[in-house]
Amino acid sequence: MVWFDGGCPLCRREIALMRRLDRRGAITFVDVAEDADTCPASRADMLARFHAREGESVLTGAAAFAAMWRAIPVLRPLGLLARSGRVLQVLERLYGVFLRVRPRLQHLARRLERPRASA
């Protein structure tokens, strides 16, 4: 199970791609805004970091992305590589950088989504 922010244009795009890649339907994608009943944490926590369940464990951040990748055959090698502590550390640092710039990227993505007014 993967929880995502359906109000985020970046998240919607990424999850749309993951759904296309998940041809076996191995992952249940849950929009936190629409289905808070299945969330393992508060809505604020769920929106602050990416969450995924792998087996009985709920993972966050880069570890959650790696779990999602492991469930998708074409991305599985990346997910397995992320089981290395060093690789996961690097991915988590990169995820931290992304979280800091995410609001600006969301703003830009929303601007790009808006239909342009005809002249």
Coordinates of all heavy atoms in Angstrom, one line a residue, residues 36-96:
A36 N -8.7 8.9 4.5 CA -7.8 9.0 5.7 C -8.0 7.8 6.7 O -7.2 7.6 7.6 CB -8.1 10.3 6.4
D37 N -9.1 7.0 6.5 CA -9.4 5.9 7.4 C -8.3 4.9 7.3 O -8.1 4.1 8.3 CB -10.7 5.2 7.0 CG -11.9 6.2 7.3 OD1 -11.7 7.1 8.0 OD2 -12.9 5.9 6.7
T38 N -7.6 4.7 6.2 CA -6.5 3.7 6.1 C -5.1 4.2 6.5 O -4.2 3.4 6.5 CB -6.4 3.1 4.7 OG1 -6.0 4.2 3.8 CG2 -7.8 2.6 4.2
C39 N -5.0 5.4 6.9 CA -3.7 6.0 7.2 C -3.2 5.5 8.6 O -3.9 5.5 9.5 CB -3.8 7.5 7.3 SG -4.2 8.3 5.7
P40 N -1.9 5.1 8.6 CA -1.3 4.7 9.8 C -0.8 5.8 10.7 O -0.3 5.5 11.8 CB -0.1 3.8 9.3 CG 0.2 4.4 8.0 CD -1.0 4.9 7.4
A41 N -1.0 7.0 10.3 CA -0.5 8.2 11.1 C -1.5 9.3 10.9 O -2.4 9.2 10.1 CB 0.9 8.6 10.7
S42 N -1.2 10.4 11.5 CA -2.1 11.6 11.3 C -2.0 12.1 9.9 O -1.0 11.9 9.2 CB -1.7 12.7 12.3 OG -0.5 13.3 11.8
R43 N -3.1 12.8 9.5 CA -3.1 13.3 8.1 C -1.9 14.2 7.9 O -1.2 14.2 6.8 CB -4.4 14.1 7.9 CG -4.5 14.6 6.4 CD -5.9 15.1 6.2 NE -6.2 15.4 4.8 CZ -5.8 16.5 4.2 NH1 -5.2 17.5 4.8 NH2 -6.0 16.7 2.9
A44 N -1.5 15.1 8.9 CA -0.4 16.0 8.7 C 0.9 15.2 8.5 O 1.7 15.5 7.6 CB -0.3 16.9 10.0
D45 N 1.1 14.1 9.3 CA 2.3 13.3 9.1 C 2.3 12.6 7.7 O 3.3 12.5 7.1 CB 2.4 12.2 10.2 CG 2.7 12.8 11.5 OD1 3.2 13.9 11.6 OD2 2.5 12.1 12.5
M46 N 1.1 12.2 7.3 CA 1.0 11.5 6.0 C 1.3 12.4 4.9 O 1.9 12.0 3.9 CB -0.4 10.9 5.8 CG -0.7 9.8 6.8 SD 0.3 8.4 6.9 CE -0.1 7.6 5.3
L47 N 1.0 13.7 5.0 CA 1.2 14.7 4.0 C 2.7 15.2 4.0 O 3.2 15.7 3.0 CB 0.2 15.8 4.0 CG -1.2 15.5 3.8 CD1 -2.1 16.7 4.0 CD2 -1.4 15.0 2.3
A48 N 3.3 15.1 5.1 CA 4.7 15.6 5.3 C 5.7 14.8 4.7 O 6.8 15.3 4.2 CB 5.0 15.8 6.8
R49 N 5.5 13.4 4.6 CA 6.5 12.5 4.1 C 5.7 11.4 3.4 O 4.6 11.0 3.7 CB 7.3 11.9 5.2 CG 8.3 12.8 5.8 CD 9.1 12.2 6.9 NE 9.9 11.0 6.5 CZ 11.1 11.1 5.9 NH1 11.7 12.2 5.7 NH2 11.8 10.0 5.6
F50 N 6.4 10.8 2.4 CA 5.8 9.7 1.6 C 5.8 8.4 2.5 O 6.7 8.2 3.2 CB 6.7 9.5 0.4 CG 6.2 8.5 -0.6 CD1 5.1 8.9 -1.4 CD2 6.8 7.3 -0.8 CE1 4.6 8.0 -2.4 CE2 6.3 6.4 -1.8 CZ 5.2 6.8 -2.5
H51 N 4.7 7.7 2.4 CA 4.5 6.5 3.3 C 4.1 5.3 2.4 O 3.4 5.4 1.4 CB 3.4 6.7 4.3 CG 3.7 7.6 5.4 ND1 3.8 8.9 5.2 CD2 3.9 7.3 6.7 CE1 4.1 9.5 6.4 NE2 4.2 8.5 7.3
A52 N 4.7 4.1 2.7 CA 4.3 2.9 2.1 C 4.4 1.7 3.1 O 5.2 1.8 4.0 CB 5.3 2.6 0.9
R53 N 3.5 0.7 2.8 CA 3.6 -0.5 3.7 C 4.2 -1.6 2.8 O 3.9 -1.8 1.7 CB 2.2 -0.9 4.0 CG 2.1 -2.2 4.9 CD 0.7 -2.6 5.3 NE -0.2 -1.6 5.7 CZ -0.2 -1.2 7.0 NH1 0.6 -1.7 7.9 NH2 -1.1 -0.2 7.4
E54 N 5.2 -2.2 3.5 CA 5.8 -3.4 2.9 C 5.7 -4.5 3.9 O 6.3 -4.4 5.0 CB 7.3 -3.1 2.5 CG 7.9 -4.2 1.8 CD 9.3 -3.9 1.3 OE1 10.1 -3.2 2.0 OE2 9.6 -4.2 0.1
G55 N 4.9 -5.5 3.6 CA 4.7 -6.6 4.6 C 3.9 -5.9 5.8 O 2.9 -5.3 5.6
E56 N 4.5 -6.1 7.0 CA 3.8 -5.5 8.2 C 4.4 -4.2 8.5 O 4.0 -3.5 9.5 CB 4.0 -6.5 9.3 CG 3.3 -7.8 9.1 CD 1.8 -7.6 8.9 OE1 1.1 -6.8 9.7 OE2 1.2 -8.2 8.0
S57 N 5.4 -3.7 7.8 CA 6.1 -2.5 8.2 C 5.6 -1.3 7.4 O 5.4 -1.4 6.2 CB 7.6 -2.6 7.9 OG 8.2 -3.6 8.6
V58 N 5.4 -0.1 8.1 CA 5.1 1.1 7.4 C 6.4 1.9 7.3 O 7.1 2.2 8.3 CB 4.0 1.9 8.1 CG1 3.8 3.3 7.5 CG2 2.7 1.1 8.2
L59 N 6.8 2.3 6.1 CA 8.1 2.9 5.9 C 7.8 4.4 5.4 O 6.7 4.6 4.8 CB 8.9 2.2 4.8 CG 9.1 0.7 5.1 CD1 9.6 0.0 3.8 CD2 10.1 0.6 6.2
T60 N 8.7 5.3 5.6 CA 8.5 6.7 5.2 C 9.8 7.1 4.4 O 10.8 6.5 4.5 CB 8.4 7.6 6.4 OG1 9.6 7.7 7.2 CG2 7.2 7.2 7.3
G61 N 9.6 8.2 3.7 CA 10.7 8.8 3.0 C 11.3 7.9 1.9 O 10.5 7.2 1.2
A62 N 12.6 7.9 1.8 CA 13.3 7.2 0.7 C 13.0 5.7 0.9 O 12.9 4.9 -0.1 CB 14.8 7.4 0.8
A63 N 12.9 5.2 2.1 CA 12.6 3.8 2.3 C 11.3 3.4 1.8 O 11.1 2.3 1.2 CB 12.7 3.4 3.8
A64 N 10.3 4.3 1.8 CA 9.0 4.0 1.3 C 9.0 4.0 -0.3 O 8.4 3.1 -0.9 CB 8.0 5.1 1.7
F65 N 9.8 4.9 -0.8 CA 10.0 4.9 -2.3 C 10.6 3.5 -2.7 O 10.2 2.9 -3.7 CB 10.8 6.0 -2.8 CG 10.0 7.3 -2.9 CD1 10.1 8.3 -1.9 CD2 9.3 7.6 -4.0 CE1 9.4 9.5 -2.0 CE2 8.5 8.7 -4.1 CZ 8.6 9.7 -3.1
A66 N 11.6 3.1 -2.0 CA 12.3 1.9 -2.3 C 11.4 0.7 -2.2 O 11.4 -0.2 -3.1 CB 13.5 1.7 -1.4
A67 N 10.5 0.7 -1.2 CA 9.5 -0.4 -1.1 C 8.6 -0.4 -2.3 O 8.3 -1.5 -2.8 CB 8.8 -0.2 0.2
M68 N 8.1 0.8 -2.7 CA 7.3 0.9 -3.9 C 8.0 0.4 -5.1 O 7.4 -0.4 -5.9 CB 6.8 2.3 -4.1 CG 5.9 2.5 -5.3 SD 5.3 4.2 -5.4 CE 6.8 5.1 -5.7
W69 N 9.2 0.7 -5.3 CA 10.0 0.3 -6.4 C 10.1 -1.2 -6.4 O 10.1 -1.9 -7.5 CB 11.4 0.9 -6.4 CG 11.4 2.4 -6.5 CD1 10.4 3.2 -7.0 CD2 12.4 3.3 -6.1 NE1 10.8 4.5 -6.9 CE2 12.0 4.6 -6.4 CE3 13.7 3.1 -5.5 CZ2 12.8 5.7 -6.1 CZ3 14.5 4.2 -5.2 CH2 14.0 5.5 -5.5
R70 N 10.4 -1.8 -5.3 CA 10.5 -3.3 -5.2 C 9.3 -4.0 -5.6 O 9.3 -5.2 -6.1 CB 10.9 -3.7 -3.8 CG 12.4 -3.4 -3.4 CD 12.8 -4.1 -2.1 NE 12.2 -3.5 -1.0 CZ 12.7 -2.4 -0.3 NH1 13.8 -1.8 -0.8 NH2 12.1 -1.9 0.8
A71 N 8.1 -3.4 -5.5 CA 6.8 -4.0 -5.9 C 6.6 -3.9 -7.4 O 5.7 -4.6 -7.9 CB 5.7 -3.4 -5.2
I72 N 7.4 -3.1 -8.1 CA 7.2 -2.9 -9.6 C 8.4 -3.6 -10.3 O 9.5 -3.1 -10.2 CB 7.1 -1.4 -9.9 CG1 5.9 -0.8 -9.2 CG2 7.0 -1.2 -11.4 CD1 5.7 0.7 -9.3
P73 N 8.1 -4.6 -11.1 CA 9.2 -5.4 -11.7 C 10.3 -4.5 -12.4 O 11.5 -4.7 -12.2 CB 8.5 -6.3 -12.6 CG 7.2 -6.6 -12.0 CD 6.8 -5.3 -11.4
V74 N 9.9 -3.6 -13.2 CA 10.9 -2.8 -13.9 C 11.8 -1.9 -13.0 O 12.9 -1.6 -13.3 CB 10.2 -1.9 -15.0 CG1 9.4 -0.8 -14.4 CG2 11.3 -1.4 -16.0
L75 N 11.2 -1.6 -11.8 CA 12.0 -0.7 -10.8 C 12.6 -1.5 -9.7 O 13.3 -1.0 -8.9 CB 11.1 0.3 -10.2 CG 10.5 1.3 -11.2 CD1 9.5 2.3 -10.5 CD2 11.6 2.1 -11.9
R76 N 12.3 -2.8 -9.7 CA 12.8 -3.7 -8.6 C 14.3 -3.6 -8.3 O 14.7 -3.6 -7.2 CB 12.3 -5.1 -8.8 CG 12.6 -6.1 -7.6 CD 11.9 -7.4 -7.8 NE 12.3 -8.3 -6.8 CZ 11.9 -8.3 -5.5 NH1 11.1 -7.4 -5.1 NH2 12.4 -9.2 -4.6
P77 N 15.1 -3.6 -9.4 CA 16.6 -3.5 -9.1 C 16.9 -2.3 -8.3 O 17.8 -2.3 -7.4 CB 17.2 -3.5 -10.5 CG 16.2 -4.2 -11.4 CD 14.8 -3.8 -10.8
L78 N 16.3 -1.1 -8.6 CA 16.6 0.1 -7.8 C 16.1 -0.1 -6.3 O 16.8 0.3 -5.4 CB 15.8 1.3 -8.4 CG 16.3 1.8 -9.7 CD1 15.3 2.9 -10.2 CD2 17.7 2.3 -9.7
G79 N 15.0 -0.7 -6.1 CA 14.5 -1.0 -4.8 C 15.4 -1.9 -4.0 O 15.6 -1.7 -2.8
L80 N 15.9 -2.9 -4.7 CA 16.8 -3.9 -4.0 C 18.1 -3.2 -3.7 O 18.7 -3.4 -2.6 CB 17.1 -5.1 -4.9 CG 15.8 -6.0 -5.1 CD1 16.1 -7.1 -6.1 CD2 15.4 -6.6 -3.8
L81 N 18.6 -2.3 -4.6 CA 19.9 -1.6 -4.4 C 19.7 -0.7 -3.1 O 20.6 -0.5 -2.3 CB 20.2 -0.7 -5.6 CG 21.5 0.1 -5.6 CD1 22.7 -0.9 -5.4 CD2 21.6 0.9 -6.8
A82 N 18.5 -0.2 -2.9 CA 18.2 0.7 -1.8 C 18.2 0.0 -0.5 O 18.1 0.6 0.6 CB 16.9 1.5 -2.0
R83 N 18.3 -1.3 -0.5 CA 18.4 -2.1 0.8 C 19.7 -1.9 1.4 O 19.9 -2.2 2.6 CB 18.1 -3.6 0.5 CG 16.6 -3.8 0.3 CD 16.2 -5.2 0.5 NE 14.7 -5.2 0.4 CZ 14.0 -6.2 0.6 NH1 14.6 -7.3 0.9 NH2 12.7 -6.2 0.4
S84 N 20.7 -1.5 0.6 CA 22.0 -1.1 1.2 C 21.9 0.1 2.0 O 21.3 1.1 1.6 CB 23.0 -0.9 0.0 OG 24.1 -0.1 0.5
G85 N 22.4 0.1 3.3 CA 22.3 1.2 4.2 C 22.9 2.5 3.6 O 22.3 3.5 3.7
R86 N 24.0 2.4 2.9 CA 24.7 3.5 2.3 C 23.8 4.1 1.2 O 23.7 5.3 1.1 CB 26.1 3.2 1.8 CG 27.0 2.9 2.9 CD 28.4 2.7 2.3 NE 29.3 2.2 3.3 CZ 30.1 3.0 4.1 NH1 30.0 4.3 4.0 NH2 30.9 2.4 5.0
V87 N 23.3 3.3 0.4 CA 22.5 3.8 -0.7 C 21.2 4.4 -0.2 O 20.8 5.5 -0.6 CB 22.1 2.6 -1.7 CG1 21.1 3.1 -2.7 CG2 23.3 2.1 -2.4
L88 N 20.6 3.8 0.8 CA 19.4 4.4 1.4 C 19.7 5.7 2.1 O 18.9 6.7 2.0 CB 18.8 3.4 2.4 CG 17.4 3.8 2.9 CD1 16.4 4.0 1.7 CD2 16.8 2.7 3.8
Q89 N 20.9 5.9 2.7 CA 21.3 7.1 3.3 C 21.3 8.2 2.3 O 20.9 9.3 2.5 CB 22.6 7.0 4.0 CG 22.6 6.5 5.4 CD 24.0 6.6 6.0 OE1 25.0 6.3 5.3 NE2 24.1 6.8 7.3
V90 N 22.0 7.9 1.1 CA 22.1 8.9 0.1 C 20.7 9.3 -0.5 O 20.4 10.5 -0.6 CB 23.0 8.4 -1.1 CG1 22.9 9.3 -2.3 CG2 24.4 8.2 -0.6
L91 N 19.8 8.3 -0.7 CA 18.5 8.6 -1.2 C 17.7 9.4 -0.2 O 16.9 10.3 -0.5 CB 17.8 7.2 -1.4 CG 18.2 6.5 -2.6 CD1 17.5 5.1 -2.7 CD2 18.1 7.2 -3.9
E92 N 17.9 9.1 1.1 CA 17.2 9.9 2.2 C 17.7 11.3 2.2 O 16.8 12.3 2.3 CB 17.3 9.3 3.5 CG 16.5 9.9 4.6 CD 15.0 9.8 4.4 OE1 14.5 8.8 3.8 OE2 14.3 10.8 4.7
R93 N 18.9 11.6 2.0 CA 19.4 12.9 1.9 C 18.8 13.7 0.7 O 18.5 14.8 0.8 CB 21.0 12.9 1.8 CG 21.6 12.7 3.2 CD 23.1 12.9 3.1 NE 23.6 12.6 4.4 CZ 24.7 11.9 4.6 NH1 25.4 11.5 3.5 NH2 25.2 11.6 5.8
L94 N 18.8 13.0 -0.4 CA 18.2 13.6 -1.6 C 16.7 13.8 -1.4 O 16.2 14.9 -1.9 CB 18.4 12.7 -2.8 CG 19.8 12.5 -3.3 CD1 19.9 11.4 -4.4 CD2 20.4 13.8 -3.9
Y95 N 16.0 13.0 -0.7 CA 14.6 13.2 -0.4 C 14.5 14.4 0.5 O 13.5 15.2 0.3 CB 14.0 11.9 0.2 CG 12.6 12.0 0.5 CD1 11.6 12.1 -0.5 CD2 12.1 12.0 1.8 CE1 10.3 12.3 -0.2 CE2 10.7 12.1 2.1 CZ 9.8 12.2 1.1 OH 8.5 12.4 1.3
G96 N 15.4 14.6 1.4 CA 15.3 15.8 2.3 C 15.5 17.0 1.5 O 14.8 18.0 1.8

